[in-house]
Amino acid sequence: MPTPGARGRALRVAITGGGPGGLYAAALLKRLDPDREITVWERNAPDDTFGFGVVLSDETLGGIEHADPAVYAALQRHFVRWDDIDIVHRGTRHTSGGHGFAALGRKRLLEILHERCRELGVDLRFRAEAPPPDRLAETYDLVIGADGVHSTTRETYADVFRPHITSHRCRYIWLAADFALDAFRFEIAETEHGVMQLHGYPYAGDASTVIVEMREEVWRAAGFDALDVQESIEHCAKIFADALGGRPLKSNRSTWTTFRTVVSERWSHGTVVLLGDAAHTAHFSIGSGTKLAVEDALALVACLEEHPDVPTALHAYEQERKPVVASTQRAARASLEWFENLALHLHQPPRQFAFNLLTRSRRVTHDNLRLRDARFTEAVEREFGCPPGTPPMFTPFRLRGLTLRNRVVVSPMDMYSAVDGVPGDFHLVHLGARALGGAGLVMTEMVCVSEQGRITPGCAGLYTGKQAEAWRRITAFVHRQAPGTAIGVQLGHSGRKGSTKLMWEGMDEPLDEGNWPLVAASALPYKPYSQTPRELSRAQLTDIREQFTAAAWRAARVGFDLLELHCAHGYLLSGFLSPLTNRRTDNYGGSLEKRLRFPLEVFDAVRAVWPEERPMTVRISATDWAEGGTTADEAVAIARAFAAHGADAIDVSTGQVVAEERPEFGRSYQTPYADRIRHEVGVPVIAVGAISSWDDVNSLVLAGRTDLCALARPHLYDPHWTLHAAAEQGYEGPGVVWPAPYRAGSRRPQTGRTDAPKPRLSLGR
């Protein structure tokens, strides 16, 4: 039944942009209702196209097959399929199989879609500029802006769509070779000017796409900025002569460019909607541009079929697609940044480097790769040092005199359940349960070094003998009942974020009564309604340093195995490090060197009283997620400074420093900061932040992006998370030990059968 238009007739649809997304939307709309009037404007000629090959996933192809078998059949006749990925690094090639790719030429794809549109009666207007989208909206029932990354539609309604456009650090050029590579190939060239990389894949029996990419500064140092296109192409062919077998490269309107990530807050406005690159972009290193555009078209047309009017359908389309695209963009951003920082990983052994590259976007994981290519994954594990049958997360790790039996850390989590700073039965059960749960290291919440340094009235402390004895009870339980599990203490001072309500009563909200005075690096409130702290004087800095050392001395006496200094999340020491919270004009403010001075003084004082054989770590916020705040470069410098003073590991968190932060949340979203610090500083790191599965832990550790993984919420959901991770992987080695009373539960309980025999025949009535 025809979808009604604005005046009770079939839809009149205007589509600006004749790329795959716009053409496929046109074909689907016309196929589902031949009465629709569909017009596509494309400024270029029919055979004009940029780039060469297009990669589509099996998932996308399945959607195409279901929606339009004729298009799918035409695509099938031209696809090149392959399974392998080759990674060539320092003269060594490693191949990983089982990946499953399908590609064809972009020109061929457009020809197929042109033919289908013409068969169905779509009006294709080539070499024609579309009328402005606001004019189209006056005469058409639906306007689809499929006009690419430089979308006129998006810019016309920029105040509604609110696009955020980010340019990145690498230059790249899209080329081709007149032969078919036998795998998806990544090749690294270490030149006198810096690192360059080739991404290549076949798209026909006699042709391959070849993308050459490098950082802007490498591009300039190599002189590409002074070469014309042909000279650039010839130079690239020489650099990657081995990969190309000495063959030349060719161009198709190729130019050096930088990738731009487009994120639009909204995709629709009235009867105008964005599709594909006009709404969003995702880096080519995960092969997603055409895939996303085609999937957008499928979803848009489906929503138009399912809903009674255009605005409702467009809203449903946006609700359906935005989360999917956001997930892809996070993966693409991770991949893009991995290649931007490729030089960090060049020292890795070739197999680990290859594994790191394959898992860079977090879409491919250790477990997933093991299913695709067990032989390759097992070779990486052997090279890493995993004993047979041992997942990477259950390998030991040594910090000074402490050997952790596995790589899992129970992250510090404030419980707000102490009375007068004294941890009670709740803390014993909470920390004891997680120690029995198999983690290599269990961390306390931030333990405050003074009454004034508490965040809330429910925060635990180590500033009295009574508190120390209560902590001794907990450490003794862990050491006695969970032998092999270490317990660490995190020491901190709330700074300007103190004197607030318990989390569940109003996080970061000042107490209604009973407030205590706050101190901080500078007299800046955390939120407009927060209490304004006093700027610390030199004498007060000395007092606080002594409070830290006294707490550390008590922590050593009561049996903690590791001490972490909390210099993150906007608390007192973090407040000195960030330029957004430190406005001092004395020797403790200004340059990063000066902002580091007091946290380093505290670290040195604590290290002096902490037993030599026991490790000390430091938690930092590697970015403030706010303009003018701590940068990733500064985070490296901060980590380097603490490592030089004797920190055994850096616990790399982010944010919570200023209330106006804009974090970029996502799975393992903080890990790239830990990865960079690990490789640039050469210090062990603890990665935190939305690491939720044992597969994530295995992937991150085996790739060399972190040494330890700290998990918080998963351990609230399941105190025995590590034991269960071992059981689910069939691991029974020394990296995790079930407590004797729990051994009967070391296998997953049986459930009702779900594998009943299926009927062999289905008889119709």
Side-chain angles (χ1 to χ4, degrees), residues 182 618 675:
D182 57 5
V618 178
D675 187 3

Side-chain angles (χ1 to χ4, degrees), residues 82 113 231 429 552 596 733:
W82 73 98
L113 293 173
E231 290 170 332
V429 173
L596 268 162

Side-chain angles (χ1 to χ4, degrees), residues 185-445:
R185 187 179 181 103
F186 294 99
E187 180 143 344
I188 314 304
E190 296 177 66
T191 75
E192 60 184 311
H193 307 293
V195 183
M196 305 176 188
Q197 59 258 20
L198 175 147
H199 313 241
Y201 58 88
Y203 68 86
D206 59 354
S208 297
T209 292
V210 175
I211 305 168
V212 177
E213 183 184 28
M214 65 199 75
R215 284 178 67 121
E216 173 84 17
E217 61 269 27
V218 176
W219 181 78
R220 293 188 181 279
F224 282 109
D225 58 329
L227 302 179
D228 63 27
V229 172
Q230 187 56 38
E231 290 170 332
S232 284
I233 293 170
E234 292 171 359
H235 193 34
C236 289
K238 290 178 182 177
I239 292 169
F240 292 103
D242 287 346
L244 301 171
R247 300 175 181 89
L249 290 167
K250 66 179 183 179
S251 165
N252 177 14
R253 301 188 181 186
S254 304
T255 58
W256 288 102
T257 188
T258 56
F259 190 82
R260 303 202 311 165
T261 296
V262 176
V263 178
S264 301
E265 290 188 24
R266 289 188 57 186
W267 296 6
S268 63
H269 172 52
T271 58
V272 179
V273 66
L274 300 178
L275 182 151
D277 283 356
H280 48 73
T281 60
H283 193 248
F284 57 80
S285 61
I286 64 169
S288 57
T290 301
K291 171 185 181 296
L292 288 177
V294 169
E295 290 175 351
D296 281 356
L298 284 163
L300 174 60
V301 175
C303 288
L304 287 164
E305 291 297 299
E306 294 163 356
H307 295 278
D309 58 78
V310 169
T312 303
L314 299 190
H315 177 73
Y317 157 72
E318 192 169 343
Q319 293 296 109
E320 176 183 335
R321 287 296 294 162
K322 281 185 75 173
V324 177
V325 169
S327 175
T328 301
Q329 287 188 308
R330 285 193 295 270
R333 182 69 178 258
S335 178
L336 177 155
E337 291 178 348
W338 193 92
F339 281 111
E340 283 185 340
N341 297 302
L342 178 62
L344 292 178
H345 309 289
L346 294 176
H347 69 281
Q348 290 187 304
R351 281 196 183 89
Q352 186 181 47
F353 176 85
F355 179 87
N356 198 348
L357 187 152
L358 291 169
T359 60
R360 67 195 181 280
S361 72
R362 302 189 286 272
R363 284 280 172 100
V364 176
T365 64
H366 171 264
D367 199 46
N368 179 268
L369 194 56
R370 186 172 56 183
L371 290 173
R372 299 182 189 203
D373 191 340
R375 181 178 297 180
F376 171 80
T377 307
E378 288 166 3
V380 180
E381 291 172 347
R382 285 195 301 273
E383 191 174 78
F384 181 78
C386 298
T390 300
M393 66 184 291
F394 293 120
T395 56
F397 190 73
R398 186 175 180 84
L399 291 171
R400 275 196 200 228
L402 176 66
T403 298
L404 302 176
R405 66 184 177 194
N406 62 54
R407 307 301 184 99
V408 179
V409 178
V410 176
S411 197
M413 295 175 279
D414 286 323
M415 293 290 105
Y416 308 108
S417 300
V419 178
D420 296 328
V422 177
D425 289 347
F426 179 89
H427 295 82
L428 175 66
V429 173
H430 167 70
L431 293 170
R434 277 131 194 99
L436 292 171
L441 172 64
V442 176
M443 293 297 301
T444 69
E445 61 196 87

